[in-house]
C-alpha cells in the first residue's frame, strides 16, 4: 500500500498532512527485509503525539536494528475515523500505510489517563479485539509503556505486556525475545510472555489473578511462582543511552515545533504531590560534552532554529550556565534560539540573568502550586513568597511579557486561608507588571489536586466535585482584573482522571462502556462529556466515591502494590506524616540521603554533570547577534508541488523549505531584531489540495552559490512531492508579483464531466454565484467574468483558465462545482494541477 491507497480519504479530512508519513528523517524499510514489525501507537492526535520525546527515542532505537522496523500510528481525528469506517478501511501506519493489524507488535504510549478511550478507538479501527484474552494468534501483541503504567491495573485487561520505567533497553530486549521466540520451536504465546516477564520492568497482567475482599479491596495472586512483582527499569547513565540524532521533523503545527534536548531525567526535590518526581528518581544528568554533540547533530539533521532544554526541572541542571554559554556561543553565527520556559523560583544567578537576556522569550512558567507558605511546606515545595516575587520581577525585567502561574486546589490540609492566599499572591505578582511595560500579562491556571500512585499523598482523598467546582468558580470571580487571565481544568475532568489514576481492574468494563457510548478524546475540553461518563459508571457498577473520595489506611492493599517503582512504601508514608507536621525533606543532591530507595549506590545513583569535565566558561557578554557578511545576493527558486505535497498548507510549506535550506547549509540572510526571520518571500498561497507544476519563491543569501549544486542539495532534503526545479540569481529588488492568470488541468477520478453542463455554461449570458468573504459577508460573482477559458480535453479531464474579477479570485474547485453541479465530496476528490502559462495548453 502507498500514498494513493488512502488519497481519496485524505482529501476529505482536515489536516491531511497528519496522515502522510513522509516527514524528513522518517524511516522506511521493505517489509520482507526485517524480522519484526512494530507499530508505535500514540493515543492522541498527530499534533500532540509527534512531539512526544519518548516516542522519538523508541523510534530511533528500534530502527537502528536492521532486523526491526518501527512505524508510527496516531489516533485519527474524528473526521478521519468516520471516513475509515465509511470506506471500510482499517487504521494504518504512517510510513508504509499498512493496516496496523498486520504488525507483529503494537506498542502504546500511556501518558495521560484521559487518553484511554482513544486506545480502544485505535484497536477498534484496526480490527483488533480489545481484551488480551479475546485475541487469537493472528492478532498483534499489544503492549504499553509510559508513566501511567505505574498503576497498570485499570488497563491491564487490554494489554499482553506493560513496561514500567525507562524503555530504552527494555524495548530492545523484548524485541530480541520476540525474534528468538518466532525462530524457536515453542510457538505458544505463553512461552513468549514468560521470556518477557524475565526482563526487568516488564509486567505481564495475565500472570496475576485479581480477587476482591469484602471491603472491595483488590489483591493480585501471582500465577507464576517466580514472578510476584515488577521492578521499574532504570537507565543508569544517560550518556550511554541511545539518543535520536535525526529526530523526525513533523508536518503541520505540532505543539512543540522545535528541537527538544533532554538534559536530565528525574527530580529529587521531593514535592509530595508529584508523581514524576518520585517514579523517575534518581536524577541523571547528561554531560555537557554529550549535550553539545547531540544538539549540533540534531540541529544539522532537522533544520530547526529553536532548541528547548527538556527535563522535569531544567533550572536545576548542575551546569546550566555553562551549557547556555556553550550553546549560545557555538551557534552565535546562526539565529538559533535556546528556549527556557521556566526556572525554579530563587535559582536565577547573575550569570544566568545575563545569558537569559540573549534567549528568545515566549512564556515564563513558575509553579507556586499553593498560595501560602504554610501549604507549600506541607507539599515540600520549599520556595518562599519573596523568592517567587523576586523571580517574577527578574523575568519581567529580563524581557518576558507573559508569566504563567500554576496552582492546585484541594491539597491535603488546605483551608480557606490558603485559597485566599492564592488571590493575594496573584495581586502581588500583578504589581510587578510595571517592570515589563503595560502589555505584560499573567496567566493563572488552576486545577484540582489528584492523588497519584507512588506519591506520599496516594492515601489521601480527592476534593469532592461540588467543593472543587465552587472553589474554582470563586477564584475565577476574585481574579477578574486587568492583565490577569484565569484558566482552569474543569473539576469534572479531574474527577474522571482521579478515578483512572487509582482504579483497579474493574474499570476495564467501564472503559468499554464509555467508549461504546461515544467517549473519545476526553482530554480535549470540547470532547469531554461528563454526563456520559457518569452514565457509564452507573451502567458498569462503578462507585466513584470508593476510588476517588475516601482516604486509605496504610494497611489497605493498593492496586499498584505489585509495581516496585524503587521507592519504599515506608518512605512515602513517612513523607505523608512529615507533610502534616510541615517538616521539610531536603533534596538529596544537596544534602544527605533521604532513604527513598531509588538508588543502589552502584549503577543506579544520582549522576550530575559536575562530576564530569565542564567546558571552560564562555564569556557571558559575547555578541550573539550573528556573524553576518556584508554581501547579500537574491535568488529565485522555482519548485514543483505534486502528489502528496498538495496537502501542505502555505505556512507549512514555507517552514519545510526554510528547514530544508538550513539542512543544506545555505547561508540565508535574516531580518534584524530579536526574532530574526529568513529573507524569503513566496507567491500567493496555493490552496491545500491543489498541485502545481511550477511555483517560485525569492531568497536572500550571503554568498553566491553554485545553483546546480543548490538544486541537488535541497532536493535531497525535501519530502516526497516537493522538488526544486531551478535556481538563478536575480536583481535585489526582484520579487513575487501578482499572477493575474491561473491555468489548471482538472481530473475527475470517479466519473466523467458532463458535456451538456459545459454547454449550458457556454450558452448562458451570466452565471451568478454567491460566496462568503473571510469576514462572512455575502457577495456575488459572475463566473462568466472569472472563467476566461474552459475546455474538455477528455471525458474526465478539463483545462481551465481563471482570471480575477473585481479584485476577487475563485478557486478552481468552486468553479467546477458550480458549472457541473458536483457534490462537495466529489469536488474534494478532484485532482487539480496548476500549470505555468508557457505550457498551459499542453495535455498532462
Amino acid at each position: 500500500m502507498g500514498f494513493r491507497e488512502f488519497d481519496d480519504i485524505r482529501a476529505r479530512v482536515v489536516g491531511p498532512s497528519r496522515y502522510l508519513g513522509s516527514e524528513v528523517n522518517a524511516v522506511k524499510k521493505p517489509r520482507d527485509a526485517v524480522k519484526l514489525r512494530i507499530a508505535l501507537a500514540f493515543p492522541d492526535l498527530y499534533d500532540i503525539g509527534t512531539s512526544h520525546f519518548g516516542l522519538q527515542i523508541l523510534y530511533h532505537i528500534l530502527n537502528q536494528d536492521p532486523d526491526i522496523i518501527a512505524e508510527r500510528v496516531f489516533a485519527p481525528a474524528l473526521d478521519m475515523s468516520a471516513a475509515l469506517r465509511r470506506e471500510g478501511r482499517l487504521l494504518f501506519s504512517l510510513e508504509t500505510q499498512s493496516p496496523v493489524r498486520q504488525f507483529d507488535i503494537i506498542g502504546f504510549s500511556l501518558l495521560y489517563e484521559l487518553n484511554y478511550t482513544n486506545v480502544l478507538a485505535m484497536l477498534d479501527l484496526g480490527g483488533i479485539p480489545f481484551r488480551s484474552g479475546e485475541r487469537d494468534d493472528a492478532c498483534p501483541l499489544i503492549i504499553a509503556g509510559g508513566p501511567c503504567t505505574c498503576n497498570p491495573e485499570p488497563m491491564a485487561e487490554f494489554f499482553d505486556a506493560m513496561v514500567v520505567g525507562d524503555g530504552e533497553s527494555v524495548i530492545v530486549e523484548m524485541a530480541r525475545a520476540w525474534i528468538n521466540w518466532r525462530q524457536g520451536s515453542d510457538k505458544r504465546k505463553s512461552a513468549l510472555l514468560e521470556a518477557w516477564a524475565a526482563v526487568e520492568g516488564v509486567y505481564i497482567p495475565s500472570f496475576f489473578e485479581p480477587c476482591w475482599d469484602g471491603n472491595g479491596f483488590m489483591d493480585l495472586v501471582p500465577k507464576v511462582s517466580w514472578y510476584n512483582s515488577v521492578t521499574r527499569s532504570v537507565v543508569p547513565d544517560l550518556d550511554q543511552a541511545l539518543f535520536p540524532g535525526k529526530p523526525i521533523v513533523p508536518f503541520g503545527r505540532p505543539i512543540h515545533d522545535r528541537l527538544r534536548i533532554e538534559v536530565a531525567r528525574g527530580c529529587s526535590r521531593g514535592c509530595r504531590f508529584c508523581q514524576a518526581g518520585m517514579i523517575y528518581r534518581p536524577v541523571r544528568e547528561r554531560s555537557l560534552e554529550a549535550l553539545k554533540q547531540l544538539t549540533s547533530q540534531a540541529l544539522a539533521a532537522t533544520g530547526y532554529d529553536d532548541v528547548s532544554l527538556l527535563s522535569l526541572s531544567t533550572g536545576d541542571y548542575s551546569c546550566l550556565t555553562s551549557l547556555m554559554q556553550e550553546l549560545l556561543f557555538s551557534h552565535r553565527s546562526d539565529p538559533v534560539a535556546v528556549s527556557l520556559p521556566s526556572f525554579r523560583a530563587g535559582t536565577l544567578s547573575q550569570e544566568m540573568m545575563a545569558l537569559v537576556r540573549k534567549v528568545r522569550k515566549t512564556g515564563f512558567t513558575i509553579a507556586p502550586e499553593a498560595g501560602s507558605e504554610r501549604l507549600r511546606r506541607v507539599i515540600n515545595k520549599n520556595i518562599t513568597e519573596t523568592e517567587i516575587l523576586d523571580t517574577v520581577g527578574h523575568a519581567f525585567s529580563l524581557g518576558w511579557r507573559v508569566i504563567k502561574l500554576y496552582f492546585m486546589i484541594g491539597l491535603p490540609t488546605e483551608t480557606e486561608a490558603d485559597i485566599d492566599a492564592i488571590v493575594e499572591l496573584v495581586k502581588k505578582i500583578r504589581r510587578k507588571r510595571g517592570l515589563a511595560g503595560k502589555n505584560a500579562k499573567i496567566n493563572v491556571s488552576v486545577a484540582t489536586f489528584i492523588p497519584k500512585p507512588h506519591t506520599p499523598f496516594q492515601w489521601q482523598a480527592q476534593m469532592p466535585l461540588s467543593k472543587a467546582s465552587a472553589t474554582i468558580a470563586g477564584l475565577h470571580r476574585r481574579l477578574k482584573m486587568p492583565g490577569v487571565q484565569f484558566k482552569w481544568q474543569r473539576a469534572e475532568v479531574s474527577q474522571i482522571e482521579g478515578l483512572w489514576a487509582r482504579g483497579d481492574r474493574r474499570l476495564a468494563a467501564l472503559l468499554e462502556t464509555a467508549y461504546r457510548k461515544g467517549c473519545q478524546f476526553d482530554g480535549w475540553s470540547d470532547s469531554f462529556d461528563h454526563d456520559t461518563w457518569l452514565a457509564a459508571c452507573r451502567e458498569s457498577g462503578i462507585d466513584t466515591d470508593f476510588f476517588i473520595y475516601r482516604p486509605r489506611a496504610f494497611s489497605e492493599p493498593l492496586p499498584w502494590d505489585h509495581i516496585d517503582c524503587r521507592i519504599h512504601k515506608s518512605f512515602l508514608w513517612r513523607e505523608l506524616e512529615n507533610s502534616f507536621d510541615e517538616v521539610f525533606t531536603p533534596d538529596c543532591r544537596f544534602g544527605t540521603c533521604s532513604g527513598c530507595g531509588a538508588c543502589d549506590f552502584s549503577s543506579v545513583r544520582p549522576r550530575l554533570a559536575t562530576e564530569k569535565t565542564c567546558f571552560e566558561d564562555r564569556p557571558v557578554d559575547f555578541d550573539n547577534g550573528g556573524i553576518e557578511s556584508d554581501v547579500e545576493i537574491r535568488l529565485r527558486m522555482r519548485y514543483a508541488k505534486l502528489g502528496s505535497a498538495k496537502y501542505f498548507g502555505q505556512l507549512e510549506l514555507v517552514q519545510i523549505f526554510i528547514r530544508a535550506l538550513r539542512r543544506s547549509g545555505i547561508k540565508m540572510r535574516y531580518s534584524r531584531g530579536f526574532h530574526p526571520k529568513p529573507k524569503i518571500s513566496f507567491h500567493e498561497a496555493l490552496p491545500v489540495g491543489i498541485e502545481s507544476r511550477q511555483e517560485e519563491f525569492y531568497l536572500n543569501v550571503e554568498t553566491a552559490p553554485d545553483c546546480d549544486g543548490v538544486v541537488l542539495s535541497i532536493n535531497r532534503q525535501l519530502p516526497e512531492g516537493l522538488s526544486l526545479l531551478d535556481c538563478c540569481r536575480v536583481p535585489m529588488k526582484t520579487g513575487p508579483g501578482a499572477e493575474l492568470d491561473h491555468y489548471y488541468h482538472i481530473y475527475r477520478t470517479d466519473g466523467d464531466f458532463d458535456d451538456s453542463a459545459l454547454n449550458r455554461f457556454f450558452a448562458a449570458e451570466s452565471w451568478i454565484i454567491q460566496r462568503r468573504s473571510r469576514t462572512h459577508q455575502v457577495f456575488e460573482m459572475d463566473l462568466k467574468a472569472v472563467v476566461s477559458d474552459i475546455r474538455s480535453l477528455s471525458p474526465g479531464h478539463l483545462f481551465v483558465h481563471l482570471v480575477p474579477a473585481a479584485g476577487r479570485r475563485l478557486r478552481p474547485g468552486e468553479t467546477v462545482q458550480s458549472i457541473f453541479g458536483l457534490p462537495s465530496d466529489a469536488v474534494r476528490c478532484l485532482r487539480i494541477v496548476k500549470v505555468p502559462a508557457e505550457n498551459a495548453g499542453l495535455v498532462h
Side-chain angles (χ1 to χ4, degrees), residues 760-773:
R760 284 194 297 272
F761 176 74
F762 289 147
E765 291 187 6
S766 63
W767 196 281
I768 304 300
I769 61 172
Q770 287 190 338
R771 286 293 178 265
R772 286 187 180 274
S773 69

Side-chain angles (χ1 to χ4, degrees), residues 93-104:
S93 67
L94 292 189
E95 282 76 1
T96 61
Q97 315 283 287
S98 301
V100 293
R101 187 182 171 91
Q102 294 180 1
F103 285 79
D104 303 306

Side-chain angles (χ1 to χ4, degrees), residues 219-233:
D219 194 14
L220 291 173
V221 179
K223 297 180 181 179
V224 179
S225 59
W226 53 269
Y227 187 69
N228 53 29
S229 66
V230 178
T231 302
R232 173 173 63 95
S233 172

Side-chain angles (χ1 to χ4, degrees), residues 580-751:
F580 297 140
D581 295 332
E582 299 178 25
V583 174
F584 173 62
T585 300
D587 189 333
C588 62
R589 284 174 291 185
F590 315 118
T592 59
C593 173
S594 58
C596 70
C599 300
D600 61 15
F601 300 102
S602 175
S603 62
V604 181
R605 59 182 175 83
R607 294 178 184 266
L608 306 183
T610 48
E611 294 178 358
K612 300 161 182 152
T613 303
C614 290
F615 299 120
E616 292 184 8
D617 283 350
R618 300 292 192 185
V620 298
D621 58 348
F622 63 82
D623 177 18
N624 74 325
I627 301 174
E628 200 173 69
S629 116
D630 293 331
V631 178
E632 188 161 1
I633 295 168
R634 192 158 179 81
L635 302 176
R636 185 198 67 194
M637 295 187 175
R638 296 193 295 194
Y639 65 95
K641 181 186 178 188
L642 301 170
S644 60
K646 69 182 179 182
Y647 293 124
F648 299 141
Q650 184 67 11
L651 294 178
E652 193 173 3
L653 180 77
V654 172
Q655 193 71 273
I656 288 170
F657 269 110
I658 289 174
R659 288 172 177 166
L661 289 160
R662 290 177 62 87
R663 289 193 300 273
S664 300
I666 306 297
K667 287 291 185 180
M668 295 180 283
R669 291 298 298 254
Y670 288 81
S671 62
R672 301 285 183 177
F674 197 73
H675 293 278
K677 301 292 183 184
K679 292 185 178 180
I680 187 171
S681 53
F682 283 72
H683 267 300
E684 59 188 285
L686 197 66
V688 174
I690 295 181
E691 302 174 58
S692 178
R693 296 200 176 275
Q694 184 178 293
E695 298 291 310
E696 62 185 42
F697 64 88
Y698 293 82
L699 173 71
N700 290 14
V701 298
E702 292 185 6
T703 57
D706 168 16
C707 283
D708 290 338
V710 166
V711 172
L712 290 173
S713 176
I714 293 178
N715 278 334
R716 285 194 290 266
Q717 302 297 334
L718 291 174
E720 180 182 340
L722 285 179
S723 60
L724 196 63
L725 302 174
D726 60 40
C727 165
C728 67
R729 184 170 179 173
V730 295
M732 283 301 299
K733 293 184 178 181
T734 307
E739 287 183 290
L740 296 180
D741 296 77
H742 284 187
Y743 306 91
Y744 300 94
H745 286 267
I746 301 178
Y747 306 85
R748 188 171 182 183
T749 58
D750 61 346

